[in-house]
Amino acid sequence: MKAKRRVVTSSGRPAGAKRMPTARSVRSVIIPEAPRQRVESASASIATRTAVADAPAADIDLRVDLGRGLVLPNPILVASGTFGYGIEYGDVIDVDRLGAICCKGTTLKPRIGNPTPRVTETPGGMLNSIGLQNPGVDAVIEKYAATWATWKVPVLVNVAGESVGDYVEVTRRLEGVPGIAGIELNISCPNVGRGGLQFAIDADAAGEVTAAVRRVTDLPLLVKLSPNVADIRPIARAIADAGADALTAINTLSGIAVAPARDRPLLGNIYGGLSGPAVKPVALRIVYEAAQAVRIPIVAIGGVTELADVLDFLAVGAVAVQVGTAIFADPTLPVRLVGELSEECRRRGLASYRDLIGSALPKRPATPSAKGVEYRP
Ligand SMILES: Cc1cc2nc3c(=O)[nH]c(=O)nc-3n(C[C@H](O)[C@H](O)[C@H](O)COP(=O)(O)O)c2cc1C
């Protein structure tokens, strides 16, 4: 198949104190109805703030090439599940100033999601077990794609499934739809064909699903790594060898919380995914290791709340970052980071942010070691 070319051009709160999302601010994105008032009441002042500040300097090159013609205007993306379908934020920020939007996980059939409670706060983060609630791929296309097609910002559809066939069919339906710039495969899902083992924790399964999707699409294909593995390198290699254009890393870490009465686990689904600043060191380690194992670009995710986090991820080899949980506390953060990154480059006398990539990687590729597995110095 011939690769299509999609070249996109485009154009806070003070970096410092980290504020974690509250359960209420988290609900504002996960449950569409309740939060609108909160968002709308905040929108006027936020819009004014983002209009006067944060514009990236025109002379600094922030473009990032994720392969197959997907060139983002800047390396600050928003993470799947934390920005809805983007449309919910149209009144709050100028979405066209983002590098890209990864929409909520999308499955073949509609899903009502997991039993409640689905969200709880943790020290330095949150646990969620939304269970991929979404209206299904056909409804996503019908409701959102036409609007996405009018935006400059590329929208990547986050695709989830329970079998290779699911992933392939969802991708087939997205192929060629105007407004869809690429696919991000969420492979942290149970593979019913293999006794519920997640695709993402097994190199063969991760490679198999990536190859199957690659065969049916020309769209740029990003595959999202799970941190819940002993060694990321063989999995990253299998995905790259199977034809992915880029990796994204990381998805949430598996965890549980206990109910206040201590008579049961707190979340309705028992297990949840940990996200937020608490996971950043793990995400840094995964990106650091994957960056030395594959040649395709890596987009980092995990606990970004300020510019220093972006710079850390670039230093360990990421070419871009996604902002996730922090959006619940401050939806203006991603756009502000674009401006701050550009300002940082200017301060350092750099013409391009790309000079910041990989500065903390070993000068020579690291030899295989058990350190990533054992965590012992
Ligand atoms: C409420 C919530 C829902 C999420 N839903 C998805 C999803 O549908 N698909 C996916 O690949 N990742 C999903 N994620 C994971 C995020 O995209 C991201 O990988 C993770 O939260 C780590 O980044 P962060 O610490 O910046 O939040 C979700 C995360 C949260 C907090």
Coordinates of all heavy atoms in Angstrom, one line a residue, residues 266-353:
L266 N -11.5 -1.3 46.5 CA -12.4 -0.1 46.3 C -13.0 -0.1 44.9 O -14.2 0.2 44.8 CB -11.5 1.1 46.6 CG -12.3 2.4 46.5 CD1 -11.6 3.4 47.5 CD2 -12.3 3.1 45.2
L267 N -12.3 -0.3 43.9 CA -12.8 -0.2 42.5 C -13.8 -1.3 42.2 O -13.5 -2.5 42.6 CB -11.7 -0.1 41.5 CG -10.7 1.1 41.6 CD1 -9.6 0.9 40.6 CD2 -11.4 2.4 41.4
G268 N -14.8 -1.0 41.5 CA -15.8 -2.0 41.1 C -15.2 -3.1 40.3 O -15.6 -4.3 40.4
N269 N -14.1 -2.8 39.6 CA -13.4 -3.8 38.8 C -12.2 -4.4 39.5 O -11.5 -5.2 38.9 CB -12.9 -3.1 37.5 CG -12.3 -4.0 36.5 OD1 -12.8 -5.0 36.1 ND2 -11.0 -3.7 36.1
I270 N -12.1 -4.1 40.8 CA -10.9 -4.5 41.6 C -9.6 -3.8 41.1 O -9.0 -3.1 41.8 CB -10.8 -6.0 41.7 CG1 -12.0 -6.7 42.2 CG2 -9.5 -6.4 42.6 CD1 -12.0 -8.2 42.2
Y271 N -9.3 -4.1 39.9 CA -8.0 -3.6 39.3 C -8.2 -2.3 38.6 O -9.3 -2.0 38.0 CB -7.4 -4.6 38.3 CG -7.0 -5.9 38.9 CD1 -7.9 -7.0 38.8 CD2 -5.8 -6.0 39.6 CE1 -7.6 -8.2 39.4 CE2 -5.5 -7.3 40.2 CZ -6.4 -8.3 40.1 OH -6.1 -9.5 40.7
G272 N -7.2 -1.4 38.7 CA -7.3 -0.1 38.0 C -5.9 0.2 37.4 O -4.9 -0.5 37.7
G273 N -5.8 1.2 36.6 CA -4.6 1.6 36.0 C -4.1 2.9 36.7 O -4.8 3.9 36.8
L274 N -2.8 2.8 37.2 CA -2.2 3.9 37.9 C -1.6 4.9 36.9 O -0.9 4.5 36.0 CB -1.2 3.4 38.9 CG -0.4 4.4 39.7 CD1 -1.4 5.1 40.8 CD2 0.8 3.8 40.5
S275 N -1.9 6.2 37.1 CA -1.3 7.2 36.3 C -1.0 8.4 37.1 O -1.3 8.5 38.3 CB -2.3 7.6 35.2 OG -3.5 8.2 35.8
G276 N -0.3 9.4 36.5 CA 0.0 10.7 37.2 C 1.5 10.7 37.5 O 2.3 9.7 37.2
P277 N 2.0 11.7 38.3 CA 3.4 11.8 38.6 C 4.0 10.6 39.2 O 5.2 10.3 39.0 CB 3.4 13.0 39.6 CG 2.2 13.8 39.2 CD 1.2 12.8 38.8
A278 N 3.2 9.8 39.9 CA 3.8 8.6 40.5 C 4.4 7.6 39.5 O 5.3 6.8 39.9 CB 2.7 7.9 41.3
V279 N 3.9 7.6 38.3 CA 4.4 6.7 37.3 C 5.6 7.2 36.5 O 6.2 6.4 35.7 CB 3.3 6.1 36.4 CG1 2.1 5.7 37.2 CG2 2.9 7.2 35.3
K280 N 5.9 8.5 36.6 CA 6.9 9.0 35.7 C 8.3 8.3 35.7 O 8.8 8.1 34.6 CB 7.1 10.5 36.0 CG 8.1 11.2 35.1 CD 8.4 12.6 35.5 CE 9.8 13.0 35.0 NZ 10.3 14.3 35.5
P281 N 8.8 7.9 36.9 CA 10.1 7.2 36.8 C 10.0 5.9 36.1 O 11.0 5.5 35.4 CB 10.5 7.0 38.3 CG 9.7 8.0 39.1 CD 8.4 8.2 38.3
V282 N 8.9 5.2 36.2 CA 8.7 4.0 35.4 C 8.7 4.3 33.9 O 9.3 3.6 33.1 CB 7.5 3.3 35.8 CG1 7.3 2.0 35.0 CG2 7.5 3.0 37.3
A283 N 7.9 5.3 33.6 CA 7.8 5.7 32.1 C 9.2 6.1 31.6 O 9.6 5.8 30.5 CB 6.8 6.9 32.0
L284 N 10.0 6.9 32.4 CA 11.3 7.3 32.0 C 12.2 6.0 31.7 O 12.9 6.0 30.7 CB 12.0 8.1 33.0 CG 11.6 9.6 33.1 CD1 12.1 10.2 34.4 CD2 12.0 10.4 31.9
R285 N 12.1 5.1 32.6 CA 12.9 3.8 32.4 C 12.5 3.1 31.1 O 13.3 2.6 30.3 CB 12.7 3.0 33.6 CG 13.7 1.8 33.7 CD 13.1 0.5 33.3 NE 11.9 0.1 34.2 CZ 11.1 -0.8 33.9 NH1 11.2 -1.5 32.8 NH2 10.0 -1.1 34.7
I286 N 11.2 3.0 30.9 CA 10.7 2.2 29.7 C 11.1 3.0 28.4 O 11.6 2.4 27.5 CB 9.2 2.1 29.7 CG1 8.8 1.3 31.0 CG2 8.6 1.6 28.4 CD1 8.4 -0.1 30.8
V287 N 11.0 4.3 28.4 CA 11.4 5.1 27.2 C 12.9 4.9 27.0 O 13.4 4.7 25.9 CB 11.0 6.5 27.3 CG1 11.5 7.4 26.2 CG2 9.4 6.6 27.4
Y288 N 13.7 5.0 28.1 CA 15.1 4.9 28.0 C 15.5 3.6 27.4 O 16.4 3.5 26.5 CB 15.6 5.1 29.4 CG 17.1 4.9 29.6 CD1 18.0 6.0 29.5 CD2 17.7 3.7 30.0 CE1 19.3 5.9 29.7 CE2 19.1 3.6 30.2 CZ 19.9 4.7 30.1 OH 21.2 4.6 30.3
E289 N 14.9 2.5 27.8 CA 15.2 1.2 27.3 C 14.7 1.0 25.9 O 15.5 0.4 25.1 CB 14.7 0.1 28.3 CG 15.4 0.1 29.6 CD 14.8 -0.9 30.6 OE1 13.7 -1.5 30.3 OE2 15.4 -1.1 31.6
A290 N 13.5 1.4 25.6 CA 13.0 1.2 24.3 C 13.7 2.0 23.3 O 14.0 1.6 22.1 CB 11.5 1.6 24.3
A291 N 14.2 3.2 23.7 CA 14.9 4.1 22.7 C 16.2 3.5 22.3 O 16.7 3.8 21.2 CB 15.1 5.5 23.4
Q292 N 16.7 2.6 23.1 CA 18.0 1.9 22.7 C 17.7 0.6 22.0 O 18.7 0.0 21.5 CB 18.8 1.7 23.9 CG 19.3 3.0 24.6 CD 20.0 2.8 25.9 OE1 21.1 2.3 26.0 NE2 19.2 3.1 27.0
A293 N 16.5 0.2 22.0 CA 16.2 -1.1 21.4 C 15.6 -1.0 19.9 O 15.7 -1.9 19.2 CB 15.2 -1.9 22.2
V294 N 15.0 0.2 19.6 CA 14.4 0.3 18.3 C 14.8 1.6 17.7 O 15.3 2.6 18.3 CB 12.8 0.3 18.4 CG1 12.3 -1.0 19.0 CG2 12.3 1.5 19.3
R295 N 14.6 1.7 16.4 CA 14.9 3.0 15.6 C 13.7 3.8 15.3 O 13.9 5.0 14.9 CB 15.6 2.6 14.3 CG 17.0 2.0 14.5 CD 17.6 1.7 13.2 NE 18.9 1.0 13.4 CZ 20.0 1.7 13.7 NH1 20.1 3.0 13.6 NH2 21.2 1.0 13.9
I296 N 12.5 3.3 15.6 CA 11.3 4.2 15.3 C 11.1 5.2 16.4 O 11.6 4.9 17.5 CB 10.1 3.3 15.1 CG1 9.8 2.4 16.3 CG2 10.1 2.5 13.8 CD1 8.5 1.6 16.1
P297 N 10.4 6.3 16.1 CA 10.3 7.3 17.2 C 9.4 6.8 18.3 O 8.5 6.0 18.2 CB 9.5 8.4 16.4 CG 9.4 8.0 15.0 CD 9.9 6.6 14.8
I298 N 9.7 7.4 19.5 CA 8.9 7.1 20.7 C 8.3 8.3 21.3 O 8.9 9.4 21.4 CB 9.9 6.5 21.8 CG1 10.5 5.2 21.2 CG2 9.1 6.1 23.1 CD1 11.6 4.6 22.1
V299 N 7.0 8.2 21.5 CA 6.2 9.3 22.2 C 6.0 8.9 23.6 O 5.4 7.8 23.9 CB 4.9 9.5 21.5 CG1 4.1 10.6 22.2 CG2 5.1 9.8 20.0
A300 N 6.5 9.7 24.6 CA 6.5 9.4 26.0 C 5.2 9.8 26.6 O 4.7 10.9 26.3 CB 7.7 10.0 26.7
I301 N 4.7 9.1 27.6 CA 3.5 9.4 28.4 C 3.8 8.9 29.8 O 4.2 7.8 30.0 CB 2.2 8.8 27.9 CG1 2.2 8.5 26.4 CG2 1.0 9.5 28.4 CD1 1.4 7.4 26.0
G302 N 3.4 9.7 30.8 CA 3.4 9.2 32.2 C 3.8 10.3 33.1 O 5.0 10.6 33.3
G303 N 2.8 11.0 33.7 CA 3.1 11.9 34.8 C 3.6 13.3 34.4 O 4.2 14.0 35.2
V304 N 3.4 13.7 33.1 CA 3.9 15.0 32.7 C 3.0 16.1 33.4 O 1.7 16.0 33.2 CB 3.8 15.2 31.2 CG1 4.1 16.6 30.8 CG2 4.8 14.2 30.5
T305 N 3.6 17.0 34.2 CA 2.8 18.1 34.7 C 3.5 19.4 34.5 O 2.9 20.5 34.8 CB 2.6 17.9 36.3 OG1 3.9 18.0 36.9 CG2 2.0 16.6 36.7
E306 N 4.7 19.4 34.0 CA 5.4 20.7 33.8 C 6.5 20.5 32.8 O 6.8 19.4 32.4 CB 5.9 21.2 35.1 CG 7.0 20.3 35.7 CD 7.5 20.8 37.0 OE1 7.0 21.9 37.5 OE2 8.4 20.2 37.6
L307 N 7.1 21.6 32.3 CA 8.1 21.6 31.3 C 9.3 20.6 31.6 O 9.8 19.9 30.8 CB 8.6 23.0 31.0 CG 9.7 23.0 29.9 CD1 9.1 22.7 28.5 CD2 10.4 24.4 29.8
A308 N 9.7 20.6 32.9 CA 10.8 19.8 33.3 C 10.5 18.3 33.0 O 11.4 17.6 32.6 CB 11.1 19.9 34.8
D309 N 9.3 17.9 33.1 CA 8.9 16.5 32.7 C 9.1 16.3 31.2 O 9.6 15.2 30.8 CB 7.5 16.2 33.1 CG 7.2 16.4 34.6 OD1 8.1 16.1 35.4 OD2 6.1 16.9 34.9
V310 N 8.7 17.2 30.4 CA 8.9 17.1 29.0 C 10.4 17.0 28.6 O 10.8 16.1 27.9 CB 8.3 18.4 28.3 CG1 8.6 18.3 26.8 CG2 6.8 18.5 28.5
L311 N 11.2 17.9 29.3 CA 12.6 17.8 29.0 C 13.2 16.5 29.4 O 14.1 16.0 28.7 CB 13.3 19.0 29.7 CG 12.8 20.4 29.3 CD1 13.5 21.5 30.1 CD2 13.0 20.7 27.8
D312 N 12.8 16.0 30.5 CA 13.3 14.7 31.0 C 13.0 13.6 30.0 O 13.9 12.8 29.6 CB 12.7 14.3 32.3 CG 13.2 15.1 33.5 OD1 14.2 15.8 33.3 OD2 12.6 15.0 34.6
F313 N 11.8 13.6 29.5 CA 11.4 12.5 28.5 C 12.2 12.7 27.2 O 12.6 11.7 26.6 CB 9.9 12.5 28.2 CG 9.1 11.7 29.3 CD1 8.2 12.4 30.1 CD2 9.4 10.4 29.5 CE1 7.5 11.7 31.1 CE2 8.7 9.7 30.5 CZ 7.7 10.3 31.3
L314 N 12.4 13.9 26.8 CA 13.2 14.1 25.5 C 14.6 13.6 25.8 O 15.2 13.0 24.9 CB 13.2 15.6 25.1 CG 11.8 16.2 24.7 CD1 12.0 17.7 24.4 CD2 11.3 15.5 23.5
A315 N 15.1 13.9 27.0 CA 16.5 13.5 27.3 C 16.7 12.0 27.2 O 17.8 11.6 26.8 CB 16.9 14.0 28.7
V316 N 15.7 11.2 27.6 CA 15.9 9.8 27.5 C 15.4 9.2 26.2 O 15.3 8.0 26.0 CB 15.2 9.0 28.7 CG1 15.8 9.4 30.0 CG2 13.7 9.3 28.7
G317 N 15.2 10.1 25.2 CA 15.1 9.6 23.8 C 13.7 9.7 23.2 O 13.5 9.4 22.0
A318 N 12.7 10.2 23.9 CA 11.4 10.5 23.3 C 11.5 11.6 22.3 O 12.3 12.6 22.6 CB 10.4 10.8 24.4
V319 N 10.7 11.5 21.3 CA 10.7 12.7 20.3 C 9.5 13.6 20.6 O 9.4 14.7 20.0 CB 10.6 12.2 18.9 CG1 11.8 11.3 18.5 CG2 9.3 11.5 18.6
A320 N 8.6 13.1 21.4 CA 7.4 13.9 21.8 C 6.8 13.4 23.1 O 7.3 12.3 23.5 CB 6.3 13.8 20.7
V321 N 5.9 14.1 23.7 CA 5.2 13.6 24.9 C 3.7 13.8 24.8 O 3.2 14.6 24.1 CB 5.7 14.3 26.2 CG1 7.2 14.2 26.4 CG2 5.3 15.8 26.2
Q322 N 3.0 13.0 25.6 CA 1.6 13.1 25.8 C 1.3 13.6 27.2 O 2.0 13.1 28.1 CB 0.8 11.8 25.5 CG 1.0 11.3 24.0 CD 0.2 10.1 23.8 OE1 -0.7 9.7 24.6 NE2 0.4 9.5 22.6
V323 N 0.4 14.5 27.3 CA -0.1 14.9 28.7 C -1.4 14.1 29.0 O -2.3 14.2 28.1 CB -0.3 16.4 28.7 CG1 -0.6 16.8 30.2 CG2 1.0 17.1 28.2
G324 N -1.5 13.5 30.1 CA -2.7 12.7 30.4 C -3.4 13.2 31.7 O -4.1 14.3 31.6
T325 N -3.2 12.6 32.8 CA -3.9 12.8 34.0 C -3.9 14.3 34.4 O -4.9 14.9 34.9 CB -3.3 12.0 35.2 OG1 -3.5 10.6 34.8 CG2 -4.0 12.2 36.5
A326 N -2.8 15.0 34.2 CA -2.7 16.4 34.6 C -3.7 17.3 33.9 O -4.0 18.4 34.4 CB -1.2 16.9 34.2
I327 N -4.3 16.8 32.8 CA -5.3 17.6 32.1 C -6.5 17.8 33.0 O -7.2 18.8 32.9 CB -5.6 17.0 30.7 CG1 -4.5 17.1 29.8 CG2 -6.9 17.6 30.1 CD1 -4.7 16.3 28.5
F328 N -6.8 16.8 33.8 CA -8.0 16.9 34.6 C -7.9 18.0 35.6 O -8.9 18.6 36.0 CB -8.2 15.6 35.4 CG -8.5 14.4 34.5 CD1 -7.8 13.2 34.7 CD2 -9.4 14.4 33.5 CE1 -8.0 12.1 33.9 CE2 -9.6 13.3 32.7 CZ -9.0 12.1 32.9
A329 N -6.7 18.3 36.0 CA -6.5 19.5 36.9 C -6.4 20.8 36.2 O -6.8 21.8 36.7 CB -5.3 19.2 37.8
D330 N -5.8 20.7 35.0 CA -5.6 22.0 34.2 C -5.6 21.7 32.7 O -4.6 21.3 32.1 CB -4.3 22.6 34.6 CG -4.0 23.9 33.9 OD1 -4.8 24.3 33.1 OD2 -2.9 24.4 34.1
P331 N -6.7 21.9 32.1 CA -6.8 21.6 30.6 C -5.9 22.5 29.8 O -5.7 22.2 28.6 CB -8.3 21.8 30.3 CG -9.0 22.0 31.6 CD -8.0 22.3 32.6
T332 N -5.5 23.6 30.3 CA -4.7 24.5 29.5 C -3.2 24.1 29.5 O -2.4 24.6 28.8 CB -4.7 25.9 30.1 OG1 -4.1 26.0 31.3 CG2 -6.2 26.4 30.2
L333 N -2.8 23.1 30.3 CA -1.4 22.7 30.5 C -0.8 22.4 29.1 O 0.3 22.9 28.8 CB -1.3 21.6 31.5 CG 0.1 21.0 31.6 CD1 1.1 22.0 32.2 CD2 0.1 19.7 32.4
P334 N -1.4 21.5 28.3 CA -0.6 21.1 27.1 C -0.3 22.2 26.2 O 0.8 22.3 25.7 CB -1.6 20.1 26.4 CG -2.5 19.6 27.5 CD -2.6 20.7 28.5
V335 N -1.2 23.1 26.0 CA -1.0 24.3 25.1 C 0.1 25.2 25.7 O 1.0 25.7 25.0 CB -2.3 25.1 24.9 CG1 -1.9 26.5 24.3 CG2 -3.2 24.4 23.9
R336 N 0.1 25.3 27.0 CA 1.1 26.1 27.7 C 2.5 25.5 27.5 O 3.5 26.2 27.3 CB 0.8 26.3 29.2 CG 1.5 27.5 29.8 CD 1.0 27.8 31.2 NE 1.3 26.8 32.1 CZ 0.4 26.0 32.8 NH1 -0.9 26.2 32.5 NH2 0.8 25.1 33.6
L337 N 2.5 24.2 27.6 CA 3.8 23.5 27.4 C 4.5 23.7 26.1 O 5.7 23.8 25.9 CB 3.7 22.0 27.7 CG 3.4 21.6 29.1 CD1 3.1 20.1 29.2 CD2 4.6 22.0 30.0
V338 N 3.6 23.9 25.0 CA 4.1 24.2 23.7 C 4.9 25.5 23.7 O 6.0 25.6 23.3 CB 3.0 24.3 22.7 CG1 3.5 24.6 21.3 CG2 2.2 23.0 22.6
G339 N 4.3 26.5 24.3 CA 4.9 27.8 24.4 C 6.2 27.7 25.3 O 7.2 28.3 24.9
E340 N 6.1 27.0 26.4 CA 7.3 26.9 27.3 C 8.5 26.2 26.6 O 9.6 26.5 26.9 CB 6.9 26.3 28.6 CG 6.0 27.1 29.5 CD 5.6 26.5 30.8 OE1 6.0 25.4 31.1 OE2 4.8 27.1 31.5
L341 N 8.1 25.2 25.9 CA 9.2 24.4 25.2 C 9.9 25.3 24.2 O 11.2 25.3 24.1 CB 8.6 23.2 24.5 CG 9.6 22.3 23.7 CD1 10.7 21.8 24.7 CD2 8.9 21.1 23.1
S342 N 9.1 26.0 23.5 CA 9.7 26.9 22.5 C 10.6 28.0 23.2 O 11.7 28.3 22.7 CB 8.5 27.5 21.7 OG 8.8 28.8 21.3
E343 N 10.1 28.5 24.3 CA 10.8 29.5 25.0 C 12.2 28.9 25.6 O 13.2 29.6 25.6 CB 10.0 30.0 26.2 CG 10.2 31.4 26.6 CD 10.6 32.4 25.5 OE1 9.8 32.6 24.6 OE2 11.7 33.0 25.6
E344 N 12.1 27.7 26.0 CA 13.3 27.0 26.5 C 14.3 26.9 25.4 O 15.5 27.1 25.7 CB 12.9 25.6 27.1 CG 14.0 24.8 27.6 CD 14.6 25.3 28.9 OE1 14.0 26.2 29.5 OE2 15.7 24.8 29.3
C345 N 13.9 26.6 24.2 CA 14.8 26.4 23.1 C 15.5 27.8 22.8 O 16.7 27.9 22.6 CB 14.1 26.0 21.8 SG 13.6 24.3 22.0
R346 N 14.6 28.8 22.8 CA 15.2 30.2 22.6 C 16.2 30.5 23.6 O 17.3 31.0 23.3 CB 14.1 31.2 22.6 CG 14.5 32.6 22.3 CD 13.6 33.7 22.8 NE 12.3 33.5 22.2 CZ 11.9 33.9 21.0 NH1 12.9 34.5 20.2 NH2 10.7 33.8 20.5
R347 N 15.9 30.2 24.9 CA 16.8 30.5 26.0 C 18.2 29.8 25.8 O 19.2 30.4 26.2 CB 16.1 30.1 27.3 CG 16.6 30.8 28.6 CD 15.9 30.3 29.8 NE 16.1 28.8 30.0 CZ 17.1 28.2 30.5 NH1 18.2 28.9 30.8 NH2 17.2 26.9 30.6
R348 N 18.1 28.6 25.3 CA 19.3 27.8 25.1 C 20.0 28.1 23.7 O 21.0 27.4 23.4 CB 19.0 26.3 25.2 CG 18.5 25.9 26.6 CD 18.4 24.4 26.6 NE 17.7 23.9 27.8 CZ 17.9 22.7 28.2 NH1 18.7 21.8 27.7 NH2 17.2 22.3 29.3
G349 N 19.4 28.9 23.0 CA 20.0 29.3 21.7 C 19.8 28.2 20.6 O 20.6 28.0 19.7
L350 N 18.7 27.4 20.8 CA 18.5 26.2 19.8 C 17.5 26.6 18.8 O 16.5 27.3 19.1 CB 18.0 25.0 20.6 CG 18.8 24.5 21.8 CD1 18.1 23.4 22.5 CD2 20.2 24.0 21.3
A351 N 17.8 26.3 17.5 CA 16.8 26.5 16.5 C 15.7 25.5 16.4 O 14.7 25.7 15.9 CB 17.6 26.6 15.1
S352 N 16.0 24.3 17.0 CA 15.0 23.2 17.0 C 15.0 22.5 18.3 O 16.1 22.3 18.9 CB 15.4 22.2 15.9 OG 14.7 21.0 16.1
Y353 N 13.8 22.1 18.7 CA 13.8 21.3 20.0 C 14.5 20.0 19.9 O 14.8 19.3 20.9 CB 12.3 21.1 20.4 CG 11.7 19.9 19.9 CD1 11.6 18.7 20.6 CD2 11.3 19.8 18.5 CE1 11.1 17.5 20.1 CE2 10.8 18.6 18.0 CZ 10.7 17.5 18.8 OH 10.2 16.3 18.3

